[in-house]
Amino acid sequence: MDRRLWRTIAFALLFVATALRRMYYRGEHSDFEFLTSLMNIDAVPQSSSLSWSSSSSNKYATAKGADLIIFYNLYIPPQEDDVEGITNAINVIKDQMEQISLVLQRIEQGGGGEKKEETTILEKKKKGVVLYNLIGNGDAFPSKNMTDLCHQLHPRLECQLMQYYEEGGEAVTLQDVHNFCHSSDDLVVKDGKNETRVVYLHSKGSYHSQKENHIWRRQMTSASLHPDCLNPPDDRCDVCSAQFYIKYAIMFPGNMWSAKCSYIRKLIPPNEEYERRKSESIKRFLILRLWSVMQATLDVDNGEHYGLGRYQWEHWIASHPSIRPCEVHTTDVGPLILLGKDQKGRKFGPEHYDWGMGPRRITHNLGGLRGPRLRLERHPDLQFSEYYFLPGNLLKWFHLYGPQGVPAQESWVWGAFPAGERWKELVGQHGEKAIDVMVKNSTAVQFSWFHSAFASNHSDTVESSTATKILFNEEQPALSHSNPPPVVVFYQISFPPGNIEKMLAAVKSQFDVISMGQYDNVTSSFDEKREVLLYYTISGRISEATDFVSNLCEEKSDKITCRQIGRFDDQRAYGETLHQIHTFCNAKPSSNVVYISNRLPGKEYKHMGNTGNAKKIQTITSAVMSKMCIPSEGICNVCGTEFYPLPFFQFTGNMFSASCGYVNKLLPPSTFEERMNDIAGDALLGEIQEIYTTKLVDFNAQILGSYQHSIEHWIGSHPDLKPCDVAPVNTEKIFDRTIQDHMKHYSWSSGPRRDSAPPGDYDIEVESEPQFRLKREKALREYYYLAGNIFRWHRLYDTVPDEASWVWQWFPDGHSWQAAARTSGANAVNAISGEVVA
């Protein structure tokens, strides 16, 4: 290669290197990244969104030996044409940097709260460091501009860019605070003995430029940099800010503070794991509230109080129970302080600073809606279960920190909250299991308002015959070869306390129907030749009930072959028969099965007086036993008396005839219950976050399929459901007729042929629902339509109905949802919901 070519290459490389360097320091990050990618240079550290960093592994090194270490979260609007927003953000930066420079001047003059003999201005070259992350616009205020501004304001104010993020929030800088405090001791130990305190600030008002935001930002910045916050009079203080609150959540409103690194080291990192654990604690509460174990009465639900979304980062710094907080303001957060005034309307000034350990102003801190607050004051038991008092905080601590989340017995929290002594004793005995003990001892559990429907989740199971041994005994092959084959019926017989006579009457009425054979609508008669193979399970400690069923089996032995496959002392184990159906269908995939029960589902366990309606139970049994209700391949895989698509897919009485091919697609029933509890928590959380609406009817345990109500959702839960039913649309008087009379009025139809929900069962106004579904902006995110169904299908089975399914025609905006499900999968709800928001 000749010399001129070498010289040309050398000049080209020099040009590229120079261009890269200039672009980097001028903030032209997109061009910088483009060129480095072409050259295959891994020069840009990546994050979940586009980002670049001005340093490598030693990005905190500038802080070594500094008297003032500040982590700064900076946002500048990304739109290049948003001149007003960019100008406002830059003014916010200048304002806060000026406040910081004045603090450095104060430290130089010995007014920084430090002892003069420990540090003087001449001992160190650097007095203050601002380590900042830039989010949004990387070009409007390059790092060189920031460096120049800081040096102009104070020669020893070093401002260093840690990283640029195209998108992000406060979490990115809080993570840097956490990382820094876990760094080596030469960074976080001050003077060889006194540990470092760090300050966290953010550019409040750069996103929403409002007078109140600018005033509050100045006040929070000033408080966090106050001498009593940088070096509290009582060194026990872990975190200091303008105000410390325990109202709704333990937090520092506004989220600017100074804190000890030793305390920050105790905190879970502010990342996805923190977000997940915090959400799990809220979901646990929402489920417990659903079942009346806890309540949150002091205010209406909102994401800010629960610490959801961006508000979760405001809760992070005070999230550990060991926190020893302090504050410098005597005023409370409210409309006046956001206007720069105190409660009496006087202009806010230095006289309003009064340092003290928190919490102070306990009465105000525990405020809220006046009516609920007065009610709580009168009822200690309600104080014990109020989420905004200790229960909610304990839930968060235990979920976030496990055994380390147990407050010390000498902690301030026991004296700050109502029912503190009662909780102190319970936590002292049971540690992080205290909430579980509280739930177990609650009225809801003691009276079985909520529970698992499966014996495997109860400790007092007495006898459970192994289903496979009886389901597939030596008699089975002979029966399966009979012509015609027997009708295989799985029968759940339950005896809840106080309803024994009703339940026995229902059993008798069902045996009468079963012994009559299958009703044939063609001949309008019963086929008495068709044998019935009846597998039954008894739940409930009633010896006379077991004898009663055995006698009925003996009486009807010429028509019915009975096989008891389970007996449980616990009457709550009434989901076990579904397990047995699942087991049978796995072994006999070409069979059909019928499921019946001697009790009707109840909206809530404490209101189940109508669950033993023998006439209605007999009518439903006759329908699902009829020849009309035999599943047909490709047309109907589950048949019932009536099928309703709202508020969830259900068959009247939760009795049905189903093909084993479809049953095999379903989750095992106890696994399904666990998944549905998790889904219920997410649905309740999604309602608070306004992901879903519930305008048709409020959530309740039955609608969400929580705990024992999961068995009502199980058979209709798969997206491949092809429902059909046999009862006419108008069934007002059908349950009052004789069997022979009402069977004459039955006619088969694919479902759904009914417009809405069962009349009177769920408080849905059936007449207004057809009009509601036409209002797209209201109906699109309705949980009971496709928004909730697609969410559940993905969570349960990771798929949605095929393109030919009835759901896309029946539900509003079906074709839009179908397209979104095809292109966005599990994110279809967010994708299509964005249309309304946009």
Side-chain angles (χ1 to χ4, degrees):
M1 190 179 294
D2 60 29
R3 185 176 298 176
R4 282 191 303 173
L5 183 57
W6 275 111
R7 187 180 299 168
T8 302
I9 293 172
F11 274 115
L13 290 172
L14 179 62
F15 170 79
V16 171
T18 304
L20 288 171
R21 179 179 176 84
R22 287 180 177 176
M23 279 186 283
Y24 183 83
Y25 284 105
R26 284 167 53 198
E28 298 171 359
H29 318 303
S30 59
D31 294 336
F32 174 78
E33 290 171 350
F34 173 70
L35 286 174
T36 54
S37 65
L38 285 179
M39 298 176 66
N40 197 28
I41 299 173
D42 188 15
V44 184
Q46 296 298 311
S47 70
S48 56
S49 60
L50 178 64
S51 66
W52 47 265
S53 173
S54 64
S55 59
S56 56
S57 59
N58 296 320
K59 65 178 177 179
Y60 309 129
T62 311
K64 187 173 182 179
D67 289 286
L68 181 62
I69 302 172
I70 298 171
F71 285 83
Y72 184 39
N73 197 74
L74 170 58
Y75 171 82
I76 300 177
Q79 298 83 4
E80 296 294 341
D81 58 350
D82 187 6
V83 178
E84 184 178 350
I86 292 172
T87 301
N88 168 67
I90 293 173
N91 288 336
V92 169
I93 298 169
K94 292 177 178 178
D95 188 35
Q96 284 184 292
M97 293 307 107
E98 185 173 357
Q99 285 184 278
I100 292 170
S101 69
L102 293 174
V103 170
L104 287 181
Q105 293 177 27
R106 186 183 68 215
I107 293 175
E108 289 178 347
Q109 296 164 6
E114 296 181 338
K115 296 179 181 179
K116 293 184 180 180
E117 65 270 23
E118 291 183 1
T119 179
T120 68
I121 189 63
L122 298 176
E123 289 177 355
K124 298 176 182 177
K125 294 180 180 179
K126 300 174 184 176
K127 293 296 295 185
V129 172
V130 176
L131 301 170
Y132 71 98
N133 287 318
L134 174 59
I135 301 167
N137 194 323
D139 301 325
F141 201 70
S143 59
K144 185 179 184 303
N145 293 24
M146 185 71 154
T147 300
D148 292 344
L149 170 65
C150 293
H151 285 166
Q152 289 169 11
L153 292 170
H154 195 288
R156 280 172 295 280
L157 178 57
E158 296 291 335
C159 295
Q160 176 183 306
L161 174 68
M162 293 184 292
Q163 191 137 340
Y164 163 75
Y165 296 87
E166 190 177 50
E167 296 178 346
E170 291 189 64
V172 297
T173 305
L174 293 174
Q175 182 66 60
D176 276 312
V177 173
H178 192 269
N179 292 346
F180 173 81
C181 286
H182 281 79
S183 300
S184 58
D185 287 344
D186 62 340
L187 282 179
V188 298
V189 175
K190 184 177 178 181
D191 297 332
K193 54 181 180 180
N194 297 320
E195 63 176 294
T196 294
R197 290 182 184 266
V198 295
V199 176
Y200 171 73
L201 305 175
H202 57 87
S203 57
K204 187 170 186 65
S206 62
Y207 189 83
H208 295 296
S209 180
Q210 299 169 347
K211 179 181 178 181
E212 295 85 353
N213 283 342
H214 294 308
I215 291 172
W216 197 16
R217 181 193 68 249
R218 294 188 189 104
Q219 291 177 355
M220 289 188 294
T221 302
S222 177
S224 301
L225 297 172
H226 190 276
D228 287 344
C229 259
L230 295 176
N231 290 278
D234 187 337
D235 194 53
R236 291 179 305 158
C237 175
D238 293 315
V239 186
C240 180
S241 185
Q243 297 112 337
F244 174 70
Y245 269 46
I246 60 173
K247 179 181 180 179
Y248 305 127
I250 294 176
M251 60 180 293
F252 295 91
N255 203 30
M256 297 190 199
W257 36 261
S258 68
K260 282 181 178 181
C261 269
S262 61
Y263 169 75
I264 290 174
R265 287 184 178 188
K266 299 177 182 179
L267 302 180
I268 184 173
N271 54 23
E272 293 85 354
E273 183 64 13
Y274 167 78
E275 185 175 7
R276 185 191 67 79
R277 292 189 192 184
K278 195 169 195 308
S279 294
E280 287 298 322
S281 74
I282 300 167
K283 285 164 53 178
R284 177 88 191 281
F285 159 69
L286 294 174
I287 290 292
L288 291 176
R289 182 175 66 175
L290 193 68
W291 289 101
S292 303
V293 178
M294 288 185 184
Q295 73 281 334
T297 61
L298 286 175
D299 206 351
V300 295
D301 287 346
N302 66 71
E304 181 178 1
H305 291 169
Y306 286 121
L308 295 171
R310 65 186 179 89
Y311 297 110
Q312 65 186 305
W313 310 119
E314 196 168 4
H315 292 199
W316 176 72
I317 191 62
S319 66
H320 200 280
S322 70
I323 185 172
R324 294 170 297 184
C326 62
E327 60 182 3
V328 295
H329 276 193
T330 58
T331 56
D332 296 310
V333 175
L336 288 174
I337 196 173
L338 298 182
L339 294 173
K341 299 178 181 180
D342 66 10
Q343 294 97 321
K344 296 182 179 180
R346 299 172 299 190
K347 187 175 181 179
F348 191 87
E351 68 276 8
H352 292 94
Y353 287 95
D354 179 24
W355 182 92
M357 294 292 290
R360 300 188 290 184
R361 297 157 292 158
I362 296 293
T363 302
H364 176 81
N365 258 318
L366 297 177
L369 298 173
R370 184 175 183 274
R373 187 178 73 248
L374 295 176
R375 185 165 176 257
L376 285 168
E377 290 175 1
R378 295 193 301 267
H379 298 283
D381 284 343
L382 294 181
Q383 297 171 11
F384 184 68
S385 57
E386 174 66 24
Y387 176 82
Y388 290 123
F389 292 166
L390 273 172
N393 287 299
L394 290 168
L395 273 171
K396 286 179 276 191
W397 292 329
F398 298 161
H399 275 81
L400 288 173
Y401 300 106
Q404 285 70 46
V406 176
Q409 286 291 291
E410 63 273 14
S411 173
W412 57 268
V413 302
W414 311 119
F417 289 100
E421 286 300 316
R422 186 175 172 185
W423 273 112
K424 180 180 178 180
E425 181 180 357
L426 193 64
V427 172
Q429 293 174 352
H430 302 284
E432 73 272 23
K433 302 296 184 183
I435 293 290
D436 298 336
V437 175
M438 178 261 198
V439 173
K440 185 177 181 180
N441 294 333
S442 67
T443 302
V445 172
Q446 293 297 310
F447 286 89
S448 294
W449 293 349
F450 81 104
H451 55 82
S452 173
F454 302 98
S456 55
N457 296 325
H458 302 305
S459 59
D460 53 352
T461 300
V462 170
E463 179 186 340
S464 176
S465 301
T466 303
T468 52
K469 290 181 180 179
I470 298 179
L471 289 174
F472 313 117
N473 61 16
E474 294 180 358
E475 293 179 276
Q476 181 70 24
L479 287 168
S480 63
H481 288 92
S482 62
N483 189 19
V487 180
V488 179
V489 180
F490 285 83
Y491 189 13
Q492 175 63 53
I493 305 173
S494 305
F495 294 99
N499 287 319
I500 304 305
E501 291 185 5
K502 281 187 176 182
M503 296 297 103
L504 291 174
V507 171
K508 173 67 166 60
S509 70
Q510 288 176 293
F511 265 89
D512 288 342
V513 169
I514 296 170
S515 64
M516 293 172 69
Q518 282 190 298
Y519 183 80
D520 188 337
N521 62 314
V522 175
T523 62
S524 299
S525 62
F526 288 89
D527 182 359
E528 298 182 4
K529 296 179 180 179
R530 192 75 181 265
E531 291 186 68
V532 175
L533 180 58
L534 184 69
Y535 295 113
Y536 70 92
T537 300
I538 297 178
S539 300
R541 190 180 297 178
I542 310 296
S543 58
E544 61 267 32
T546 304
D547 295 337
F548 182 80
V549 174
S550 297
N551 291 335
L552 285 174
C553 282
E554 189 174 343
E555 289 176 19
K556 312 288 185 179
S557 60
D558 58 327
K559 304 290 186 181
I560 306 171
T561 301
C562 292
R563 292 288 179 266
Q564 181 177 331
I565 53 176
R567 183 176 69 81
F568 303 93
D569 267 5
D570 195 332
Q571 54 84 22
R572 299 173 299 174
Y574 48 75
E576 287 296 328
T577 302
L578 297 181
H579 264 313
Q580 294 149 4
I581 288 177
H582 200 257
T583 300
F584 176 88
C585 283
N586 276 318
K588 302 279 185 179
S590 61
S591 297
N592 295 323
V593 292
V594 175
Y595 172 75
I596 60 174
S597 173
N598 72 322
R599 80 193 256 172
L600 300 171
K603 187 173 182 179
E604 292 183 32
Y605 197 90
K606 51 186 175 180
H607 299 131
M608 293 184 72
N610 199 38
T611 59
N613 185 328
K615 189 65 179 176
K616 187 172 184 178
I617 290 171
Q618 185 185 51
T619 301
I620 297 170
T621 302
S622 65
V624 298
M625 286 287 298
S626 70
K627 287 189 175 182
M628 284 181 290
C629 224
I630 298 175
S632 305
E633 185 175 355
I635 300 173
C636 171
N637 48 30
V638 185
C639 177
T641 307
E642 302 164 298
F643 172 73
Y644 288 97
L646 294 177
F648 60 93
F649 295 173
Q650 60 185 293
F651 294 88
T652 299
N654 195 33
M655 300 185 219
F656 53 82
S657 174
S659 71
C660 278
Y662 172 78
V663 170
N664 284 339
K665 298 178 181 181
L666 303 179
L667 288 170
S670 60
T671 302
F672 180 78
E673 181 183 81
E674 294 171 5
R675 294 269 187 94
M676 286 298 287
N677 277 331
D678 195 47
I679 289 170
D682 281 321
L684 291 163
L685 204 62
E687 182 186 28
I688 294 172
Q689 295 172 305
E690 299 182 349
I691 297 172
Y692 308 108
T693 59
T694 54
K695 296 184 183 298
L696 284 176
V697 62
D698 291 336
F699 279 148
N700 63 43
Q702 185 182 24
I703 286 174
L704 287 170
S706 178
Y707 285 96
Q708 72 265 29
H709 291 300
S710 68
I711 66 173
E712 299 160 46
H713 291 241
W714 182 69
I715 195 62
S717 66
H718 199 278
D720 287 350
L721 174 71
K722 294 179 175 64
C724 60
D725 59 23
V726 297
V729 173
N730 184 5
T731 58
E732 269 188 44
K733 297 181 180 179
I734 193 170
F735 296 120
D736 295 326
R737 295 171 176 162
T738 63
I739 295 176
Q740 287 81 0
D741 189 21
H742 70 239
M743 294 297 288
K744 293 177 183 178
H745 295 275
Y746 282 178
S747 64
W748 182 95
S749 174
S750 60
R753 57 173 158 177
R754 290 164 174 78
D755 292 335
S756 185
D761 281 1
Y762 299 100
D763 300 322
I764 293 179
E765 295 182 10
V766 178
E767 295 79 10
S768 62
E769 190 272 331
Q771 286 74 43
F772 172 78
R773 63 168 51 214
L774 298 176
K775 300 174 182 177
R776 188 172 192 267
E777 71 284 359
K778 292 184 177 180
L780 194 64
R781 289 183 292 123
E782 185 70 5
Y783 187 81
Y784 309 113
Y785 291 158
L786 283 171
N789 280 300
I790 288 176
F791 164 65
R792 290 193 301 275
W793 287 324
H794 269 287
R795 289 289 295 275
L796 292 168
Y797 302 107
D798 197 28
T799 188
V800 295
D802 61 37
E803 294 188 0
S805 173
W806 60 273
V807 302
W808 309 120
Q809 284 74 45
W810 194 86
F811 285 104
D813 276 295
H815 295 298
S816 298
W817 280 106
Q818 186 177 21
R822 184 170 56 250
T823 58
S824 302
N827 293 320
V829 175
N830 294 331
I832 201 167
S833 294
E835 296 179 15
V836 174
V837 177

